[in-house]
Amino acid sequence: MRACTGVVVGVLALLMVLSQVTGQNTESIVTLVLQKLGGLWHNGEVDFMGHSCMYNYRPTISRWKLYYKGKMWCPGWAPFSGRSRKKSRSGAIEHATRDFVQKALDSGLITKEDASAWISQ
C-alpha cells in the first residue's frame, strides 16, 4: 500500500509541475488523475447460483508491476472466498470466481455439473 501511495503522490507532483510549465489548469488535471485512480478499485454485488454474492478488485504493485487482487464471496452461503491476483481487472474477478467455484465444489456446496460452466475439467 505504501508503494501505491508513493506512486500516486509522485504522479500528482509531476502533474502539478507539468501544469505550471504548460499553463494548464492544475485542478482539472488533478481531478482527471483522481478519477482514473478511483477506477482502479471496484466493489459489486451479483446473484450467483441463486445466492447474493459480493466481489471486488483492488490494485497492488509487485516488482514495479501493476496487478489486481480479486475476491468473491457469498455471505450466508459459503464460509470461504475465492481469491486471485492477475494483471487485468476482469481477469482478477474471473479467476476469483473460478477459485470460489472450485472451493464450493470441494466442500460439496455445488455439483460438478454446476461447476462445469466455470471450471474446465
Side-chain angles (χ1 to χ4, degrees), residues 12 15 43 64 72 76 85 106 119:
L12 290 176
L15 287 174
N43 297 305
W64 297 103
M72 181 188 173
R85 188 183 91 160
D106 294 344
I119 301 173

Side-chain angles (χ1 to χ4, degrees), residues 77-96:
W77 180 40
F80 49 81
S81 61
R83 296 176 181 270
S84 70
R85 188 183 91 160
K86 296 292 173 185
K87 289 185 178 181
S88 72
R89 292 176 271 196
S90 60
I93 295 301
E94 177 186 344
H95 287 271

Side-chain angles (χ1 to χ4, degrees), residues 33-71:
V33 169
L34 291 177
Q35 287 173 346
K36 292 292 184 184
L37 290 174
L40 297 176
W41 285 263
H42 184 74
N43 297 305
E45 187 173 343
V46 64
D47 180 52
F48 185 75
M49 295 187 182
H51 300 276
S52 178
C53 299
M54 310 294 291
Y55 67 92
N56 68 30
Y57 58 78
R58 63 185 178 90
T60 185
I61 296 176
S62 177
R63 297 183 182 185
W64 297 103
K65 292 183 182 176
L66 178 64
Y67 292 91
Y68 292 91
K69 287 187 175 181
K71 181 179 176 185

Side-chain angles (χ1 to χ4, degrees), residues 9-30 33:
V9 170
V11 168
L12 290 176
L14 178 63
L15 287 174
M16 284 184 200
V17 169
L18 288 174
S19 69
Q20 291 173 356
V21 171
T22 61
Q24 297 279 338
N25 182 354
T26 304
E27 282 184 33
S28 63
I29 292 173
V30 170
V33 169

